[in-house]
């Protein structure tokens, strides 16, 4: 029998991937399941991006390249950030990674030691706590409430800061809430952090999927003097429907980026070379396809919201970005299903909806709030309407 490491024993599987896998397994058996758990666009990668990859293969871009990534791609990332945000970066401040997840891992491995605490605003993306723990640190959660647009109070954040606090993770637009942090919140947070030795990880993976169609923003937009402590994580997965391509990046002070590149060099080396060329094409070409996809998601957000409002007791904020809606279903806790089983948690609700309604959602406990479930609207309007009809019918049967 092998002795497992403590990190392996304590590691929990990603709830979103578990639910998605179960839904797909049921569909493969011919069962009609509407999957609202998926964290990826339902669009195909634009053809001009795929053609660029084919061209790179034909031209022989199949060998090792430098660990930080193709210079031309790193330049394109800098140009894209300047066009979208107005921030100036150099290629030496960019590390191309195998998806945005690796960018976050690299940074945490570089900056977090045992005993260090990283502030995570709740609700949070499921992998943040596990990543911090795998790096040897301790996640410290700051609660928020739907009444305040899921923005924690600055006083709560201040109370959580101590001598062990090394960093804070921000994600806006948010997975799972679909909310966008206000300028006021970001300004107040910056004022709190100013003068403190705390870095900021800004996960901007959904930055172009804003339903106000305004340019993307992060904490640097309101506090440009934070450039030496802010690390930007992004990638092509969500914005360009390229989830399977696994290309992300980390941007920040070059001395830390160099250390992250060293860490990556001892793990995966560089991200896939020919996929990087396709990513470069995505960033440097017209952004018209991105805008079209965003408008489709914005329409779906309204459709899903309209349908959910027909279900008694469910509360939510209409999504402002990304492609998720976070719904409070706790009004149904304490009820029983037709077999007499108690419904007492988001996990119970998620299992019930999959079994009874054949709709896959993700339990909110995975995101740090057991009152909620997350619904992805990376699906057709027809499927969203049918899913809500099934959910309403199934919930009405609880007693």
């Amino acid at each position: 029998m092998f002795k497992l490491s403590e990190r392996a024993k304590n590691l929990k599987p990603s709830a979103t991937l578990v639910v998605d896998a179960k839904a797909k397994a049921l569909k493969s058996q011919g069962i009609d399941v509407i999957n609202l758990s998926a964290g990826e666009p339902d669009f195909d990668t634009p053809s001009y991006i795929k053609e660029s990859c084919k061209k790179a293969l034909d031209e022989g871009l199949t060998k090792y390249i430098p660990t930080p990534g193709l210079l031309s791609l790193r330049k394109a990332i800098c140009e894209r950030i300047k066009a979208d945000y107005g921030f100036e970066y150099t290629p030496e401040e960019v590390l191309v990674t195998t998806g945005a997840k690796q960018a976050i891992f690299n940074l945490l491995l570089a900056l977090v030691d045992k005993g260090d605490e990283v502030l995570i605003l709740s609700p949070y993306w499921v992998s943040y706590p596990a990543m911090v723990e795998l790096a040897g640190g301790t996640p410290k959660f700051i609660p928020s409430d739907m009444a305040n647009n899921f923005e924690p109070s600055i006083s709560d954040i201040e109370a959580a800061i101590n001598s062990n606090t090394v960093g804070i993770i921000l994600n806006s637009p948010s997975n799972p809430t679909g909310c966008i942090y206000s300028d006021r919140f970001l300004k107040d947070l910056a004022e709190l952090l100013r003068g403190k030795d705390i870095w900021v990880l800004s996960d901007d993976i959904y930055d172009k999927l804003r339903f106000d169609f305004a340019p993307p923003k992060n904490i640097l937009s309101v506090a440009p003097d934070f450039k030496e402590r802010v690390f930007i994580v992004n990638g092509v997965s969500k914005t360009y429907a390229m989830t399977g391509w696994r290309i992300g990046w980390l941007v920040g002070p070059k001395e830390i980026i160099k250390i992250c590149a060293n860490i990556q060099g001892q793990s995966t080396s560089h991200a896939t070379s020919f996929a990087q060329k396709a990513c470069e094409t995505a960033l440097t070409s017209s952004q018209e396809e991105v805008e079209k996809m965003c408008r489709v998601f914005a329409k779906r957000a309204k459709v899903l919201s309209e349908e959910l409002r027909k279900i008694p007791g469910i509360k939510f904020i209409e999504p402002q970005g990304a492609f998720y809606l976070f719904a409070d279903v706790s009004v149904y806790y304490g009820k029983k299903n037709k077999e007499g089983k108690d419904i007492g948690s988001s996990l119970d609700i998620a299992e019930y909806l999959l079994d009874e309604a054949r709709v896959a959602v993700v339990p909110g406990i995975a995101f740090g709030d057991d009152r909620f479930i997350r619904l992805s609207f990376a699906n057709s309007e027809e499927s969203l309407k049918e899913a809500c009809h099934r959910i309403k019918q199934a919930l009405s049967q609880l007693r």
Side-chain angles (χ1 to χ4, degrees):
M1 175 65 74
F2 295 105
K3 176 184 174 295
L4 291 176
S5 68
E6 287 302 313
R7 72 176 66 85
K9 286 190 285 188
N10 294 330
L11 185 64
K12 299 178 182 66
S14 167
T16 51
L17 296 181
V18 168
V19 174
D20 187 49
K22 186 174 180 180
K24 287 176 178 175
L26 289 172
K27 290 192 81 166
S28 70
Q29 298 168 25
I31 298 171
D32 177 23
V33 174
I34 300 176
N35 189 356
L36 303 187
S37 71
E40 64 178 344
D42 55 319
F43 302 97
D44 191 17
T45 303
S47 59
Y48 62 89
I49 297 175
K50 291 191 285 187
E51 289 302 320
S52 173
C53 182
K54 294 174 188 176
K55 185 173 184 287
L57 285 167
D58 289 342
E59 292 177 351
L61 189 57
T62 59
K63 306 295 184 184
Y64 288 137
I65 61 173
T67 295
L70 293 172
L71 178 59
S72 57
L73 172 55
R74 286 182 285 136
K75 286 181 177 178
I77 290 168
C78 293
E79 291 165 3
R80 186 79 264 149
I81 291 173
K82 184 176 181 180
D84 291 341
Y85 290 87
F87 308 151
E88 296 272 1
Y89 284 98
T90 65
E92 292 73 31
E93 296 172 298
V94 178
L95 172 63
V96 179
T97 58
T98 306
K101 271 186 176 179
Q102 188 180 33
I104 299 172
F105 258 121
N106 287 342
L107 184 67
L108 294 175
L109 289 172
L111 297 181
V112 176
D113 266 327
K114 186 175 182 181
D116 289 344
E117 295 181 354
V118 177
L119 304 182
I120 298 176
L121 311 188
S122 178
Y124 46 78
W125 177 49
V126 295
S127 292
Y128 292 147
M131 288 177 165
V132 171
E133 289 170 348
L134 284 169
T138 301
K140 195 163 188 178
F141 304 109
I142 316 296
S144 67
D145 194 78
M146 187 165 58
N148 295 316
N149 199 47
F150 291 110
E151 294 179 352
S153 73
I154 297 299
S155 59
D156 283 348
I157 298 175
E158 183 175 22
I161 295 173
N162 58 45
S163 59
N164 295 320
T165 307
V166 296
I168 184 170
I169 300 176
L170 303 177
N171 176 219
S172 175
S174 163
N175 175 6
T177 68
C179 291
I180 295 173
Y181 290 138
S182 65
D183 284 358
R184 173 47 53 197
F185 172 74
L186 292 174
K187 286 177 182 177
D188 289 347
L189 177 61
E191 193 58 37
L192 171 65
L193 297 179
R194 194 167 277 115
K196 294 180 172 61
D197 191 16
I198 297 174
W199 47 260
V200 179
L201 190 163
S202 184
D203 183 351
D204 296 350
I205 195 70
Y206 298 99
D207 65 345
K208 301 287 281 290
L209 300 179
R210 293 176 60 112
F211 304 150
D212 59 2
F213 305 104
K217 288 183 178 181
N218 60 27
I219 194 167
L220 282 178
S221 304
V222 300
D225 58 307
F226 270 38
K227 191 177 180 186
E228 291 305 308
R229 70 160 82 189
V230 171
F231 297 88
I232 298 172
V233 170
N234 211 326
V236 293
S237 293
K238 317 297 183 178
T239 305
Y240 302 96
M242 295 174 70
T243 51
W245 295 72
R246 309 313 304 137
I247 299 292
W249 53 84
L250 176 68
V251 180
K254 63 182 179 182
E255 62 272 16
I256 303 300
I257 294 300
K258 184 176 180 180
I259 291 168
C260 290
N262 290 340
I263 291 170
Q264 182 169 301
Q266 297 295 351
S267 56
T268 61
S269 298
H270 62 81
T272 303
S273 54
F274 45 86
Q276 289 194 37
K277 205 64 184 175
C279 173
E280 182 183 330
T281 297
L283 295 176
T284 58
S285 300
S286 165
Q287 302 298 289
E288 184 180 352
E289 289 299 315
V290 177
E291 293 165 9
K292 285 181 182 177
M293 185 168 68
C294 187
R295 292 191 184 281
V296 171
F297 279 136
K299 177 74 184 304
R300 291 176 181 176
K302 290 194 174 297
V303 168
L304 180 58
S305 298
E306 288 168 3
E307 294 301 314
L308 284 177
R309 290 190 185 102
K310 299 175 184 177
I311 305 176
I314 290 184
K315 296 180 291 184
F316 58 91
I317 295 176
E318 186 169 319
Q320 300 154 13
F323 39 79
Y324 309 108
L325 185 149
F326 208 45
D328 184 343
V329 293
S330 59
V331 70
Y332 291 96
Y333 296 176
K335 296 181 180 289
K336 298 179 184 293
N337 65 13
K338 56 189 178 185
E339 283 81 34
K341 179 185 175 184
D342 289 326
I343 301 293
S345 68
S346 60
L347 185 59
D348 290 340
I349 284 281
E351 289 179 345
Y352 175 70
L353 292 179
L354 186 56
D355 293 339
E356 186 67 29
R358 298 304 188 193
V359 176
V361 300
V362 184
I365 189 63
F367 307 100
D369 198 324
D370 199 32
R371 298 170 296 175
F372 291 78
I373 57 174
R374 191 196 75 177
L375 302 91
S376 166
F377 45 92
N379 216 319
S380 69
E381 290 182 27
E382 294 73 20
S383 293
L384 294 174
K385 290 177 181 178
E386 174 61 21
C388 289
H389 172 73
R390 294 184 188 184
I391 291 171
K392 181 179 182 181
Q393 197 168 39
L395 292 177
S396 70
Q397 294 171 17
L398 294 174
R399 295 290 179 262

